[in-house]
Amino acid sequence: MASKICAVIDYGMGNLHSAHGALQTVSPDTQVIVTGDPEVILKADHVVLPGVGAIRDCMAEIRAQGIDQVVAEVRKTKPLLGICVGLQAMMDRSEENGGVDCMGIFPGQVCFFGNDLVENGERLKVPHMGWNTVAQVKHPLWAGIADNSRFYFVHSYYVDAVNGEQVKGHGHYGVDFAAAMGEDNVFAVQFHPEKSHNAGLALLKNFLSWDGQG
């Protein structure tokens, strides 16, 4: 029997199978469940909020299914990990789709990289897709992962945080952006740890053994 349960929230907008597979791989004794059932989510020991696609669609489903209320309860008591659009949904607001109000767990905006992103005279492609280093700020989820390790990103919008103390990982692609945010028992990343080979798997393993303390 599994010693603990990790719920991957299913609201119809996430890379659920790869996230489930990676979490199960790094912790075989954990029962990883993909579910949209609030009762199951609230009983889990660890909770993951994934997300891909347009933030307006994600937030519409999150609110329609009451996932925002479930997440509000989860963050009071247990470790919560946001991935990609799951991080963006935790901010105040996104510029995408003409402006979308998000859950407001972290103060800050989600901004468009722009169609004319240039660095050192070279035009950068948007979306930002591929491997990028992340400069760490001390946090238990970075344990055993070398600073400036490379993680896999796919995004056209980036997090511009208000509170610098909540930024736990810094990225740069034409502009500086928050690659990871954290406070108390909540941690969220813009990259896809489930697609980031050893460094990403190490982060997921750290999450599943994390007690939610800084």
Side-chain angles (χ1 to χ4, degrees):
M1 184 176 179
S3 58
K4 56 188 175 183
I5 297 172
C6 175
V8 179
I9 300 178
D10 180 5
Y11 56 97
M13 300 288 294
N15 193 6
L16 304 177
H17 295 296
S18 61
H20 172 277
L23 288 159
Q24 198 66 80
T25 295
V26 300
S27 184
D29 292 335
T30 298
Q31 185 181 359
V32 182
I33 303 173
V34 176
T35 180
D37 186 334
E39 189 172 329
V40 175
I41 296 166
L42 292 171
K43 286 182 179 178
D45 302 290
H46 292 75
V47 177
V48 176
L49 178 69
V52 296
I55 190 68
R56 174 171 288 171
D57 295 338
C58 286
M59 286 309 306
E61 290 301 318
I62 283 171
R63 292 198 168 102
Q65 299 178 37
I67 296 300
D68 53 340
Q69 298 172 35
V70 175
V71 168
E73 286 299 310
V74 167
R75 64 182 287 237
K76 293 176 184 177
T77 59
K78 60 192 68 183
L80 170 65
L81 175 66
I83 296 176
C84 194
V85 176
L87 161 63
Q88 296 184 5
M90 292 182 180
M91 306 307 295
D92 284 329
R93 188 170 173 80
S94 174
E95 289 182 348
E96 191 174 356
N97 305 122
V100 178
D101 289 329
C102 300
M103 290 190 286
I105 293 174
F106 297 116
Q109 302 289 319
V110 181
C111 305
F112 183 43
F113 276 118
N115 292 315
D116 53 357
L117 190 64
V118 175
E119 186 161 62
N120 299 324
E122 180 183 351
R123 187 165 181 169
L124 301 179
K125 292 182 179 179
V126 177
H128 170 213
M129 183 180 300
W131 296 89
N132 209 90
T133 59
V134 175
Q136 300 172 11
V137 176
K138 187 177 180 181
H139 190 278
L141 264 64
W142 296 126
I145 302 171
D147 192 16
N148 293 308
S149 288
R150 288 155 59 86
F151 293 88
Y152 191 78
F153 290 81
V154 183
H155 61 131
S156 298
Y157 293 78
Y158 66 91
V159 168
D160 183 14
V162 169
N163 184 350
E165 292 186 359
Q166 294 175 329
V167 179
K168 302 302 179 185
H170 297 274
H172 182 85
Y173 186 72
V175 296
D176 294 327
F177 65 89
M181 298 285 291
E183 185 173 66
D184 300 328
N185 55 307
V186 182
F187 194 85
V189 295
Q190 179 62 66
F191 54 83
H192 286 274
E194 75 279 8
K195 296 180 180 179
S196 297
H197 299 332
N198 292 341
L201 293 176
L203 187 142
L204 293 177
K205 187 172 184 178
N206 288 340
F207 171 68
L208 290 176
S209 62
W210 184 40
D211 62 4
Q213 301 297 311

